[in-house]
Amino acid sequence: MTLTVTDLSVTRGALPVLSGVSFAIVPGEALILRGPNGIGKTTLLRTVAGLQPAYAGSIAGAEDQIAYAAHADGLKPTLSTRENLKFWAQIFGVKDVTHRVSEALADFDLETLADRPAANLSAGQKRRLGLARLGVTGRPIWIMDEPTVSLDTSSVQRFAEVVQNHLQSGGSAMIATHIDLGLSGTELDLTSYKTAPQQLDDFDGAFL
């Protein structure tokens, strides 16, 4: 399914940050978001993922299709690596839980850590587990916010391979990242969509 965003405007803290954003992501391709820190990449991702409402514009093709990986890894520290993946697979209602969990463990080199509590994982291992959650959701559209943070070079390469395999199997991805992952798709620089700062009138300014 194609994810289509048309003339989207998004806000952060009730203030507009991006406006007029339009793009389409077809199955088999990735959209890489570029732009300086603070421009609104996270806000745009959260809006497309349905975690906050859009100020204006439309999003089509996202209904029950998106799995979102944010800065937080979304792990339960008392559960093991395997149990965390099983938990998320069940949350998303997939049927082949055991198979999907086994694949995710292998994809992210977590098999030897399968029975270790998440609380005892290193930062890089937690990040790999957090990303492995995507593979157990059964969702075709992966939305990721700076997914390679805390990953070493080999883990970044492994992650890129997992995403490329996802694309080749008909999935799609939307990723905010500063590095080149070598994925099939296009780049979107958000600089031109940045909303001009609101001008304060004399009344507002008197209270700042």
Side-chain angles (χ1 to χ4, degrees):
M1 179 178 291
T2 298
L3 175 65
T4 304
V5 170
T6 305
D7 202 23
L8 192 69
S9 295
V10 300
T11 60
R12 180 173 57 224
L15 296 176
V17 291
L18 296 170
S19 63
V21 181
S22 297
F23 59 82
I25 311 176
V26 302
E29 292 190 355
L31 179 71
I32 309 300
L33 297 183
R34 304 293 192 191
N37 291 335
I39 198 170
K41 295 188 293 294
T42 295
T43 303
L44 177 60
L45 293 174
R46 287 177 52 83
T47 303
V48 174
L51 299 178
Q52 67 179 64
Y55 180 74
S58 64
I59 302 168
E63 298 81 4
D64 297 323
Q65 301 296 307
I66 289 175
Y68 178 61
H71 291 142
D73 294 318
L75 307 178
K76 290 184 173 293
T78 58
L79 296 183
S80 70
T81 296
R82 189 192 311 277
E83 290 168 338
N84 266 281
L85 293 177
K86 183 178 180 181
F87 169 82
W88 283 106
Q90 293 171 334
I91 285 291
F92 279 85
V94 300
K95 297 179 179 179
D96 49 345
V97 173
T98 300
H99 175 69
R100 287 188 179 274
V101 168
S102 296
E103 278 195 336
L105 289 171
D107 285 343
F108 286 89
D109 193 25
L110 293 167
E111 292 168 303
T112 60
L113 302 171
D115 298 319
R116 182 178 298 182
N120 296 338
L121 299 176
S122 69
Q125 291 166 345
K126 288 178 180 177
R127 190 55 172 167
R128 280 154 49 202
L129 176 53
L131 294 171
R133 291 183 301 132
L134 295 169
V136 302
T137 64
R139 298 289 176 89
I141 304 173
W142 292 358
I143 293 183
M144 295 163 277
D145 194 358
E146 298 294 346
T148 59
V149 172
S150 299
L151 295 183
D152 58 24
T153 302
S154 62
S155 294
V156 170
Q157 179 60 38
R158 180 180 287 269
F159 164 73
E161 291 173 356
V162 170
V163 177
Q164 189 61 54
N165 289 337
H166 177 67
L167 301 181
Q168 291 174 349
S169 65
S172 58
M174 181 178 178
I175 310 172
T177 180
H178 293 286
I179 68 174
D180 183 7
L181 295 171
L183 300 174
S184 302
T186 59
E187 293 189 3
L188 178 64
D189 191 330
L190 296 179
T191 303
S192 61
Y193 299 102
K194 183 178 180 180
T195 304
Q198 290 186 330
Q199 298 296 319
L200 299 177
D201 59 27
D202 292 338
F203 179 81
D204 291 328
F207 291 89
L208 297 180

